[in-house]
């Protein structure tokens, strides 16, 4: 089961590793010290340099869906795969390394242990570098006599920035189709020479040498070639790098082209002669060569014949008479322009019909004797002498001229190119090429028309959606017209080349010509300017915005759209789209901009777009822009626009109707008896007939710091909103806003008490409905109305001494209110307790009415307030469970009432207010007093002194306040 007693350890191939682009690389990973099955699973991840913290999944041995999308295709096609070497060892293969494969690789093994113990992953770095290794050797076809010396040269170079070594080796193939090459001589990466097994003795004897000349030249030298050297020779270079684990890895290998070597044995009875029917030919003539073999008892011997042109193999005929051609001659054989055959066992024939200039040169035939027909190596070889064949060119009278009827166009316009061929005596094929601007890139094939009229488009022009359906037409016997229906952009400009080729009797003649075309970008010179005759309009007036568009081409001939943009004032974010007019004339409004729809008229002239707004409203105030898009013509359907431009911003201000509101500003005063009802008046001097009014009532208490208290607001649609000081149910029931007439508002105060003293005023707002909503036109503030209370002629005798008490939070406190002396017979007493708020307004805590009923305006305090009345004149208030917010000043008001007769109302006879009681709260379980009691006398005095001073200071402030109130 693979159980071990150690902790799990995952190891991966040590990095950093450097590998070349395009190579096949492997990374090993193994795990040890694990528990569970012997066959462990592995997961590979990569952290790319562009996002070193992001984990990207590559491949897993357990989950086919593991790879991320960028690796899925490569994993499916086995461009990336995992090879399991053992149950706990794997190799990650990347068959063709790419630049994006560089990064930090992580190998992870999912847990199979009873508990997590050890490491479960390991990382290594891989860098992808360019493949700079090159190896080259000029290909040759050499025929040497046994014993001749020969030297072959191989050029090898590299420019890798990392420290690498080179190895250079020479290899030998016995036959062209053979795949197993034997080593001749190798210069290893550690600079030692190692001969192949077949060449070891010759190397030790100095007959085979490898010499390095300069930095890049390596030469293989044979002191005397042997028949066994016959075949093909090539050079192979390898670049090696030392990995961090001290092992050397070949990161790149390159092979050169091959040199063919034929070795003629000495002292054999084989001879060869070559002859030609004619050696001086014209293009289109026929060349016939014969190769004659002379040997004893030739009929019972087996020969292979190789035809050579300028030392390079053309064709070979094996002992069975089977013809084997080099690839470049296969097409000519299919056209029946080349034949090579065995006429007899000693006569071999090569026929080339319709010769051309490429058939010029020296011809040889090489004959090898085979021991048996199936042998790959000859027992002797003989090379004929060379025969020189001269092919004279036939003058061509073909001429070509190229022109265009569209030398300068705008993107989207068609290109029309003409190629006129004259003087051709047979059908021609035509190729059109595009050479980019400044000739900075390779030429691109546009289209080809073969001699039979068949058309083939270049890969770039096969998709008709980009440039339309390209046409190449033969207008007459010698005129070819290329039409590109829609140019893409300025890159379609440059040179267009026409190449005409005439094939006749094996002769090929070509003529070419070019014409220049300029394609202007649709964005070139495209500019939009927005303007308006006015910047300010009155409510209900109309205004017009004109978007003037300029371009270096005729705007009316290209599809164009306009998008109108709007940013309200003040800005609430980026510009919003109002409406778009498409090239087809379709208008698309944005739903959110419904206040424009129905009021806007959209028109287009030759080069301008107009937005006309009728009956402007406040919502039309803001900043406008227009955005114009143009498309290439002749392309349907329209996809991405070819160019876009946005205009300058134009601001429009909508002036609302002027407010005529006037509010009475004369100050007044009202004096009432305590407990009576009253009304404060707010009078409108003038307002527009079609406007609506909102009224807000304020109170400025006698001791306020200048900040008025909001009482109640009735907005323009009669919705009420109370201020925080007047939001309790008891206050809402006493303060009422009422519209008495079209120009008079009242604030009614029911059962007024001393806490209602102060100055009252109203703020009136004038609102008008303007098509799309309510708008505030203006506001006015009334004069102040002072509310005072009449005092009865007789004053009750009540304790008026100001007091200060301490109360611990959570405990109870008693506030004293004592009536001195007796009250009149047949009278009843009422009492009201007040708390002075920070706002300066006196808030009613409790009221004992003359009929003995008690009311608590502040319901939240009802459970903590107690009026015990141990005697008829004692109206002391007990406050239970004192809280920090209870700190402040309190006073009581006692009133004497007498009924005016049986069944009649009660009348106020006398009244008086007590002195103020200042309540100071201290934290619960305060340690101040305990420290005083437990300290030595001196310490007691030191600790007690600040408290005494604080109390005296508070009492002084309290006395000043009470005096001011009186």
């Amino acid at each position: 089961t693979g159980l071990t007693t150690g902790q799990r350890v995952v190891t991966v191939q040590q990095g950093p590793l450097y590998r070349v682009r395009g190579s096949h690389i492997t990374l090993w990973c193994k795990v040890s010290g694990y528990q569970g099955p012997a066959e462990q699973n592995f997961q590979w991840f990569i952290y790319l340099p562009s996002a070193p913290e992001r984990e990207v999944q590559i491949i897993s041995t357990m989950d086919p869906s593991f790879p991320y999308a960028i690796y899925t295709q490569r994993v499916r096609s086995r461009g990336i795969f995992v090879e399991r070497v053992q149950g706990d060892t794997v190799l990650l293969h990347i068959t063709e390394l790419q630049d994006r494969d560089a990064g930090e690789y992580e190998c992870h093994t999912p847990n199979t242990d009873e508990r997590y113990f050890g490491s479960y992953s390991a990382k290594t770095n891989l860098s992808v570098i360019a493949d700079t290794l090159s190896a080259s050797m000029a290909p040759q076809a050499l025929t040497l006599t046994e014993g001749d010396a020969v030297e072959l040269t191989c050029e090898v170079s590299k420019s890798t920035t990392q420290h690498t070594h080179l190895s250079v080796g020479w290899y030998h193939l016995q036959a062209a189709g053979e795949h197993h090459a034997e080593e001749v001589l190798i210069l290893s990466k550690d600079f030692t020479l190692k001969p192949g097994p077949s060449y070891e003795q010759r190397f030790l004897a100095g007959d085979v040498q490898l010499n390095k000349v300069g930095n890049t030249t390596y030469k293989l030298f044979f002191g005397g070639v042997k028949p066994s050297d016959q075949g093909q020779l090539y050079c192979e270079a390898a670049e090696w790098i030392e990995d961090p684990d001290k092992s050397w890895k070949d990161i790149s290998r390159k092979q050169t082209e091959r040199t063919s070597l034929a070795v003629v044995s000495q002292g054999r009875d084989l001879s060869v002669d070559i002859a030609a029917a004619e050696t001086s030919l014209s293009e289109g003539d026929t060349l016939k060569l014969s190769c004659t073999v002379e040997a004893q008892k030739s009929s019972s011997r087996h020969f292979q014949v190789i035809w050579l042109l300028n030392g390079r193999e053309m064709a070979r005929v094996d002992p069975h008479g089977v013809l084997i051609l080099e690839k470049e001659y296969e097409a000519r054989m299919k056209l029946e322009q080349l034949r090579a055959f065995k006429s007899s066992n000693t006569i071999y024939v090569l026929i080339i019909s319709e010769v051309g200039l490429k058939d010029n040169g020296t011809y040889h035939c090489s004959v090898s004797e085979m021991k048996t027909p199936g042998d790959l190596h000859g027992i002797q070889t003989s090379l004929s002498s060379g025969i020189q064949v001269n092919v004279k060119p036939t003058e061509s009278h073909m001429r070509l001229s190229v022109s265009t009827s569209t030398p300068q166009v705008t993107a989207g316009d068609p290109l029309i190119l003409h190629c006129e061929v004259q003087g051709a005596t047979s059908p021609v094929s035509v190729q059109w090429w595009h050479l980019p601007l400044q000739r900075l890139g390779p030429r691109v094939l546009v289209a080809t028309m073969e001699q039979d009229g068949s058309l083939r488009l270049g890969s770039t022009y096969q998709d008709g959606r980009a440039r339309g359906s390209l046409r190449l037409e033969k207008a007459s016997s010698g005129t070819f017209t290329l039409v590109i229906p829609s140019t893409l952009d300025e890159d379609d400009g440059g040179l267009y080349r026409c190449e005409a080729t005439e094939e006749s009797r094996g002769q090929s003649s070509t003529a070419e010509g070019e014409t220049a075309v300029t394609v202007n970008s649709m964005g070139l010179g495209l500019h939009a300017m927005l303007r308006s005759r006015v910047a300010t309009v009155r409510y209900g007036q109309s205004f017009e915005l004109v978007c003037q568009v300029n371009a270096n081409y005729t705007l009316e001939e290209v599809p164009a759209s306009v998008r109108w943009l709007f940013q309200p004032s003040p800005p609430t974010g980026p510009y919003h789209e109002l409406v778009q007019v498409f090239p087809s004339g379709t208008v698309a409004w944005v739903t959110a901009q419904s206040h424009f729809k129905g009021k806007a008229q959209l028109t287009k002239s030759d080069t301008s777009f107009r937005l006309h707004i009728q009956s402007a409203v406040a919502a039309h105030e803001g900043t406008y822009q227009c955005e114009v898009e143009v498309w290439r013509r002749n392309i349907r359907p329209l996809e991405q626009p070819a160019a876009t431009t946005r205009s300058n911003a134009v601001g429009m201000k909508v002036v609302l109707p002027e407010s005529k509101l006037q509010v009475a500003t004369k100050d007044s005063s009202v004096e009432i008896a305590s407990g009576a009802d009253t009304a404060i008046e707010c009078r409108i001097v003038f307002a527009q007939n079609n406007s609506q009014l909102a009224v807000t009532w304020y109170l400025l208490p006698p001791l306020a710091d200048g900040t008025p208290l909001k009482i109640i607001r009735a907005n323009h649609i009669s919705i009420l909103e109370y201020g925080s000081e007047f939001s309790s149910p008891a206050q809402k029931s006493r303060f009422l806003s009422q519209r008495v007439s079209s120009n008079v508002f009242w604030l009614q105060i029911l059962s007024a008490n001393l806490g209602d003293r102060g100055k009252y005023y109203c703020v009136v707002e004038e609102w008008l409905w303007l098509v799309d909503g309510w708008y505030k036109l203006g506001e006015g503030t009334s004069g102040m109305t002072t509310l005072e209370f009449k005092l009865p002629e007789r004053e009750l005798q009540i304790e008026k001494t100001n007091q200060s008490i301490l109360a611990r939070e959570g405990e109870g406190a008693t506030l004293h209110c004592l009536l001195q002396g007796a009250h009149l017979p047949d009278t009843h007493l009422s009492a009201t307790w007040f708390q002075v708020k920070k706002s300066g307004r006196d808030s009613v805590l409790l009221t004992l009415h003359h009929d003995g009923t008690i009311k608590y305006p502040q319901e939240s305090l009802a459970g903590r307030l107690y009026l015990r009345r141990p005697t008829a004149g004692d109206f002391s208030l007990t406050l239970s469970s004192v809280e920090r917010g209870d700190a402040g000043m309190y006073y009581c008001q006692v009133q004497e009432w007498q009924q005016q007769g049986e069944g009649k109302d009660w009348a106020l006879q006398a009244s008086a207010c007590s002195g103020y009681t200042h309540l100071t709260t201290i934290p619960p379980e305060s340690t101040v007093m305990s420290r005083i009691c437990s300290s030595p006398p001196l310490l007691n005095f030191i600790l007690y002194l600040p408290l005494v001073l604080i109390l005296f200071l508070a009492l002084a402030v309290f006395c000043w306040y009470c005096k001011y109130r009186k």
Side-chain angles (χ1 to χ4, degrees), residues 566-570 596 617-624 652-655:
F566 174 68
Q567 185 182 59
S569 178
F596 282 90
V617 296
H620 297 153
E621 181 174 317
T623 306
Y624 293 80
M652 292 300 300
K653 182 175 179 60
V654 179
V655 179

Side-chain angles (χ1 to χ4, degrees), residues 478-507:
T479 302
F480 300 84
T481 300
L482 173 66
V483 178
I484 301 175
S486 178
T487 48
L488 198 59
D489 49 35
E490 60 266 30
D491 290 339
D492 280 351
L495 293 176
Y496 284 84
R497 176 181 297 168
C498 175
E499 293 181 357
T501 302
E502 181 183 20
E503 300 280 351
S504 177
R505 301 179 63 192
Q507 170 189 352

Side-chain angles (χ1 to χ4, degrees), residues 51-335:
E53 302 299 324
R54 182 181 173 218
E55 176 184 86
V56 180
Q57 298 174 189
I58 303 175
I59 194 170
S60 167
T61 59
M62 58 189 290
D63 183 6
S65 64
F66 182 79
Y68 279 6
I70 59 173
Y71 290 102
T72 301
Q73 185 58 38
R74 295 174 69 188
V75 172
R76 288 178 180 171
S77 63
R78 288 188 64 78
I80 299 177
F81 64 92
V82 174
E83 175 191 358
R84 189 178 289 280
V85 181
Q86 295 178 353
D88 54 10
T89 305
V90 297
L91 283 175
L92 173 66
H93 288 259
I94 302 178
T95 58
E96 187 173 351
L97 194 63
Q98 302 176 10
D99 288 331
R100 62 175 178 169
D101 294 328
E104 184 179 41
Y105 285 75
E106 179 180 19
C107 174
H108 174 75
T109 61
N111 182 36
T112 60
D113 309 330
E114 294 181 356
R115 61 190 179 93
Y116 282 91
F117 185 47
S119 66
Y120 289 80
S121 65
K123 295 181 179 180
T124 188
N125 277 293
L126 173 66
S127 295
V128 180
I129 60 177
D131 187 358
T132 63
L133 179 65
S134 69
S136 62
M137 178 179 69
Q140 303 178 72
L142 303 176
T143 301
L144 303 175
T145 302
E146 183 178 358
D148 288 349
V150 67
E151 186 176 68
L152 302 177
T153 301
C154 179
E155 295 289 337
V156 178
S157 65
K158 67 179 181 69
S159 59
T160 309
T161 57
Q162 286 72 28
H163 176 70
T164 58
H165 288 187
L166 288 177
S167 65
V168 179
W170 292 88
Y171 296 85
H172 175 236
L173 286 168
Q174 290 284 356
E178 189 174 348
H179 298 292
H180 176 68
E182 61 176 335
E183 298 174 354
V184 179
L185 192 55
I186 296 175
L187 177 62
S188 69
K189 65 181 181 300
D190 50 2
F191 314 112
T192 58
L193 287 171
K194 296 179 181 179
S198 302
Y199 292 87
E200 186 172 357
Q201 293 301 321
R202 294 171 68 183
F203 169 71
L204 295 174
D207 185 50
V208 178
Q209 301 175 16
L210 194 157
N211 301 313
K212 181 180 181 182
V213 181
N215 292 326
T216 62
T217 304
Y218 298 81
K219 295 189 174 184
L220 176 68
F221 174 75
F222 286 95
V225 295
K226 295 184 177 183
S228 60
D229 297 329
Q230 182 165 287
Q232 294 183 328
L233 293 164
Y234 66 89
C235 168
E236 181 180 271
E239 186 174 8
W240 300 75
I241 192 168
E242 186 178 19
D243 286 342
D245 62 2
K246 303 303 180 183
S247 65
W248 286 86
K249 170 64 181 174
D250 56 327
I251 58 175
S252 180
R253 286 184 176 271
K254 295 291 173 63
Q255 288 185 6
T256 66
E257 295 189 71
R258 299 173 182 179
T259 289
S260 298
L261 177 62
V263 179
V264 179
S265 300
Q266 294 182 348
R268 303 294 177 97
D269 64 343
L270 184 64
S271 64
V272 183
D273 185 34
I274 189 172
E278 181 67 46
T279 58
S280 182
L281 304 169
S282 297
E283 286 183 298
D285 291 344
T286 299
L287 171 64
K288 182 176 182 180
L289 298 173
S290 61
C291 181
T292 303
V293 180
E294 295 182 2
Q296 297 178 359
K297 300 179 180 181
S298 59
S299 60
S300 60
R301 297 165 74 170
H302 309 288
F303 303 109
Q304 175 180 267
V305 175
I306 299 176
W307 290 98
L308 304 167
L309 172 58
N310 297 326
R312 299 192 63 168
E313 181 176 335
M314 300 171 59
R316 69 173 61 198
V317 180
D318 69 6
H320 294 295
V322 176
L323 174 62
I324 303 172
L325 289 171
E326 288 296 302
K327 191 171 183 179
E328 60 186 290
Y329 292 95
E330 291 177 354
R332 298 182 70 178
M333 185 188 73
K334 292 178 181 178
L335 295 173

Side-chain angles (χ1 to χ4, degrees), residues 79 158 439 492 545-546 644 785 800:
K158 67 179 181 69
R439 300 177 184 259
D492 280 351
L545 297 167
V546 180
T644 301
T785 298
K800 293 185 177 290

Side-chain angles (χ1 to χ4, degrees), residues 496-728:
Y496 284 84
R497 176 181 297 168
C498 175
E499 293 181 357
T501 302
E502 181 183 20
E503 300 280 351
S504 177
R505 301 179 63 192
Q507 170 189 352
S508 175
S509 59
T510 301
E512 63 181 38
E514 297 174 348
T515 186
V517 171
T518 301
V519 179
N520 295 321
S521 167
M522 297 195 74
L524 184 64
L526 182 65
H527 176 71
M529 183 179 70
L530 186 62
R531 54 187 173 82
S532 172
R533 292 183 178 179
V534 294
T536 302
V537 294
R538 293 188 177 277
Y539 173 84
Q541 288 184 335
S542 300
F543 65 90
E544 185 175 70
L545 297 167
V546 180
C547 181
Q548 183 69 44
V549 185
N550 297 314
N552 289 350
Y553 45 88
T554 305
L555 193 66
E556 301 93 311
E557 297 178 1
V558 300
S561 76
V562 63
R563 181 183 288 107
W564 289 95
L565 307 171
F566 174 68
Q567 185 182 59
S569 178
T572 58
Y575 279 83
H576 310 298
E577 180 178 339
L578 292 179
V579 62
Q580 183 173 9
V581 183
F582 292 94
S584 62
T586 302
V587 177
W589 283 95
V590 177
T591 305
Q593 308 297 340
S594 57
H595 49 278
F596 282 90
K597 191 174 182 181
K599 285 181 169 289
Q601 292 180 349
L602 300 162
T603 58
K604 178 183 182 299
S605 61
D606 292 343
T607 60
S608 65
F609 300 88
R610 295 172 184 264
L611 174 64
H612 184 86
I613 303 295
Q614 294 178 328
S615 300
V617 296
H620 297 153
E621 181 174 317
T623 306
Y624 293 80
Q625 279 187 318
C626 65
E627 185 177 83
V628 178
E629 296 175 331
V630 293
W631 282 263
R632 294 183 296 127
R633 56 190 136 193
N634 303 323
I635 290 296
R636 294 290 186 273
L638 298 178
E639 295 180 354
Q640 290 296 322
T644 301
T645 184
R646 183 177 286 196
S647 74
N648 56 298
V650 171
M652 292 300 300
K653 182 175 179 60
V654 179
V655 179
L656 298 177
E658 186 177 353
S659 175
K660 305 292 185 179
L661 178 67
Q662 295 180 29
V663 181
T665 58
K666 185 178 180 180
D667 294 339
S668 62
S669 63
V670 175
E671 187 177 46
I672 62 172
S674 177
D677 299 339
T678 188
I680 309 297
E681 183 179 271
C682 179
R683 182 174 294 276
I684 311 302
V685 177
F686 181 81
Q688 298 184 48
N689 291 333
N690 58 343
S691 65
Q692 295 293 327
L693 302 177
V695 178
T696 306
W697 291 95
Y698 292 92
L699 166 63
L700 190 62
L703 294 182
D705 58 0
T707 302
L709 302 178
K710 177 181 174 182
I711 304 172
I712 185 173
R713 169 182 167 82
N715 71 5
H716 58 282
I717 55 175
S718 301
I719 295 176
L720 299 180
E721 177 188 336
Y722 284 85
S724 59
E725 293 275 344
F726 298 85
S727 58
S728 67

